[in-house]
Amino acid sequence: MSTEAIDPRQPSLMLALVPVVLTLFLLGLQLFYFGDFTPQIPLAIGLGITGLLGIYLGHDWGSMEDGVFRVINVSLPSVSVLIVVGMIIGVWIASGTVPTIIYYGLTILTPQIFLAAAMIMCAVVSVSLGTSWGTVGTVGLALMGIGAGFGVPMYWTAGAVVSGAFFGDKISPLSDTTNLAPAVTGQDVFAHIRNMMPTTIPAMLIALGIYVWVGFSLVGDTGGASFERIDAITSALQANFAISAWLLIPALLVIGLAIAQKPPIPSLFAGVLAGGLTAIIAQGASLHDVFEFANSGYKIETGVSEIDSLLNSGGIQSMMWTISLILIALGFGGALERTGCLQTIIAAILTKVQSFAGVQTAAIGTSFATNIVAGDPYLSIALPGRMYSPVYRGMGYSTLNLSRATEEGGTLMSPLIPWNAGGAFVITALGLGITSGNFENLLYIPLAFACWMTPIIGIIYAWTGIFSPRVGEAERKDWVDNDREITDMSEYGYEHPLDSEKTQPTPAQ
């Protein structure tokens, strides 16, 4: 017997907004009124509200369940990455890999260049690994320790780490989101990466300049207090761990596998195995200890607060809070998509925009809004990519513009939304302490300059017309050969691109 709903109705705009508005209200109530950063329950209630709406619209339970689990299923590779990264954090701390990175970072780097160096290091590693989450959970964690030694506020370090890590995720051909964006818009991944450079490079250069300026002005005059703190941290590390360049082998192994273009999850798990072996050989841990570190994380008491707060972390269990949030948020997003709420809202937006600049701005905004409402970077790329592609084709613009827009509003904005999958992971992996009510560390959001400046630059390009490619002959032929859907934009004054001999159609008026 089929579980599909019989002739379900499409919600009106007002009806489609009901679960979205109510869920956002509950999130605001939990965060700002109760002062409790646990968004799982508001999102679960939102999922329930959406389910009731789906039943009202004619969907049966089987149909709603299929929509929820279909989106969750798409996210399982990323959940797997989370589990492996949790293991890596615990094992690499126990092996001395993370302490060694912190030790050498404190002795080689200077406070003035630290933030800029942190961003560059994370960008390089993220491009190599193809995963922002893996970069944040490994190199990013070590950089948090270095920043603490230099007296740099946690939110500044986190901002630099996030800027670099998600920049790399955005342009790495190994990244899942970098491959997803061109896939849903019918583009080649390398053409997509090239088209993102005009927005990505300026944003990174501006962010780099800000971090250099802040480095000299914020921590440039710390004087002896900073060196005293650095000495205390390095002494505590030497007293509790064997420190050696050989202990960097697990990290170098993972980077080497990434450069060899091996799959991310096996590469990261190889880092777990190498870290466990290193912990046994170099730090004297037992096999049972390694199992405990991988599952429950590392525990240490050095008497130095910066070290204790940073190194008491890791393990699969430390990721369960984040994983539960991701699964509930994705279920909510899947329910919104299955009931047609998101499609109705996007369709309402499309009736209000009549120019390429308006459509490009709307695409970026829709990806961002989907990140906020659905809590899922994948849905924020896939849904607008599917919904807006025919509109770009109807206007005669390359869908490379759309794939870039979904990355800017999807991938890059994900870590800036605390209840989003990306934001929840950043907060957990970097130990920002948001769950305990320390909302000051949310300042990392505006300080992740490269993430939020990139979509702004993209919107400026759209309204000025530069770096906004029109459709070429090859892409037009691909539309025909693959029978891609093209929206009739004649009501907005635009010619249908396949009805015209011109390769660069212009407004009919």
Side-chain angles (χ1 to χ4, degrees):
M1 180 177 177
S2 174
T3 59
E4 292 295 321
I6 301 174
D7 194 25
R9 304 187 305 279
Q10 190 73 7
S12 65
L13 178 59
M14 292 300 295
L15 203 57
L17 288 171
V18 168
V20 174
V21 172
L22 288 178
T23 303
L24 290 177
F25 170 77
L26 291 173
L27 283 169
L29 185 70
Q30 176 81 328
L31 180 60
F32 299 110
Y33 183 75
F34 295 130
D36 182 3
F37 187 78
T38 50
Q40 285 93 331
I41 301 305
L43 288 171
I45 294 173
L47 172 57
I49 294 171
T50 310
L52 292 175
L53 175 62
I55 293 173
Y56 171 76
L57 293 171
H59 294 271
D60 60 24
W61 170 248
S63 172
M64 292 297 301
E65 187 178 69
D66 178 69
V68 169
F69 287 114
R70 183 181 58 80
V71 174
I72 290 177
N73 183 64
V74 172
S75 75
L76 291 182
S78 292
V79 172
S80 301
V81 169
L82 276 177
I83 292 173
V84 179
V85 167
M87 297 169 68
I88 277 186
I89 293 173
V91 172
W92 280 17
I93 293 173
S95 69
T97 301
V98 170
T100 295
I101 295 173
I102 296 173
Y103 179 86
Y104 285 133
L106 288 172
T107 56
I108 295 172
L109 296 174
T110 65
Q112 291 81 3
I113 67 168
F114 167 68
L115 289 174
M119 187 191 76
I120 293 172
M121 288 174 61
C122 287
V124 171
V125 173
S126 187
V127 170
S128 302
L129 295 179
T131 167
S132 53
W133 290 5
T135 302
V136 168
T138 54
V139 177
L141 177 66
L143 288 167
M144 294 298 290
I146 299 171
F150 287 146
V152 179
M154 292 182 70
Y155 43 82
W156 271 107
T157 304
V161 167
V162 169
S163 286
F166 283 81
F167 156 82
D169 194 8
K170 181 189 173 196
I171 67 168
S172 173
L174 302 176
S175 167
D176 48 6
T177 55
T178 303
N179 283 275
L180 176 62
V184 298
T185 57
Q187 289 293 342
D188 173 72
V189 64
F190 291 103
H192 166 67
I193 291 173
R194 286 193 298 271
N195 193 54
M196 288 193 294
M197 292 303 177
T199 58
T200 302
I201 292 177
M204 287 294 287
L205 290 176
I206 293 171
L208 183 64
I210 294 173
Y211 292 134
V212 170
W213 176 77
V214 170
F216 280 91
S217 62
L218 179 67
V219 296
D221 299 320
T222 53
S226 177
F227 291 108
E228 193 176 305
R229 182 186 297 107
I230 292 171
D231 183 64
I233 292 175
T234 54
S235 297
L237 290 173
Q238 286 181 309
N240 290 275
F241 298 93
I243 302 295
S244 169
W246 292 105
L247 301 180
L248 300 177
I249 288 177
L252 296 175
L253 172 65
V254 172
I255 294 174
L257 291 172
I259 293 173
Q261 298 188 3
K262 302 301 180 182
I265 294 177
S267 299
L268 290 170
F269 191 72
V272 175
L273 297 179
L277 185 62
T278 303
I280 294 172
I281 296 173
Q283 308 297 340
S286 68
L287 181 60
H288 181 262
D289 289 336
V290 172
F291 289 170
E292 185 68 17
F293 300 146
N295 181 63
S296 302
Y298 190 75
K299 303 292 186 295
I300 189 172
E301 292 184 10
T302 66
V304 179
S305 60
E306 291 91 345
I307 291 296
D308 293 346
S309 63
L310 185 72
L311 299 187
N312 283 289
S313 62
I316 294 175
Q317 299 307 317
S318 71
M319 294 295 164
M320 288 299 114
W321 185 91
T322 304
I323 290 173
S324 69
L325 174 57
I326 290 172
L327 295 179
I328 295 171
L330 292 183
F332 177 51
L336 286 174
E337 185 180 20
R338 175 49 58 98
T339 56
C341 291
L342 291 180
Q343 295 89 329
T344 295
I345 294 170
I346 292 175
I349 295 171
L350 288 175
T351 62
K352 304 297 182 182
V353 293
Q354 301 183 11
S355 66
F356 165 75
V359 170
Q360 186 75 358
T361 303
I364 294 173
T366 300
S367 292
F368 179 41
T370 306
N371 255 325
I372 293 175
V373 174
D376 174 36
Y378 298 100
L379 195 62
S380 71
I381 291 173
L383 185 62
R386 291 199 302 266
M387 296 292 291
Y388 281 84
S389 287
V391 180
Y392 281 79
R393 297 181 185 118
M395 286 184 165
Y397 278 87
S398 172
T399 52
L400 285 170
N401 298 289
L402 175 58
S403 63
R404 186 174 71 195
T406 58
E407 283 262 56
E408 291 167 350
T411 303
L412 289 180
M413 301 308 288
S414 168
L416 308 187
I417 303 165
W419 55 85
N420 185 280
F425 175 75
V426 166
I427 290 167
T428 301
L430 297 184
L432 295 179
I434 306 303
T435 54
S436 62
N438 183 13
F439 295 107
E440 179 187 48
N441 285 334
L442 284 177
L443 287 173
Y444 86 88
I445 295 172
L447 301 181
F449 299 106
C451 291
W452 58 263
M453 281 194 295
T454 303
I456 291 176
I457 294 172
I459 292 172
I460 292 173
Y461 287 163
W463 286 94
T464 57
I466 60 175
F467 297 116
S468 302
R470 300 268 192 163
V471 60
E473 290 292 347
E475 186 174 354
R476 187 205 299 240
K477 184 176 184 299
D478 176 68
W479 295 349
V480 177
D481 292 345
N482 292 283
D483 193 27
R484 298 190 187 279
E485 181 186 358
I486 299 177
T487 297
D488 182 7
M489 299 298 292
S490 60
E491 62 181 295
Y492 300 126
Y494 286 86
E495 294 181 350
H496 195 296
L498 301 186
D499 290 340
S500 170
E501 294 300 320
K502 295 180 289 185
T503 60
Q504 295 187 358
T506 55
Q509 68 264 31

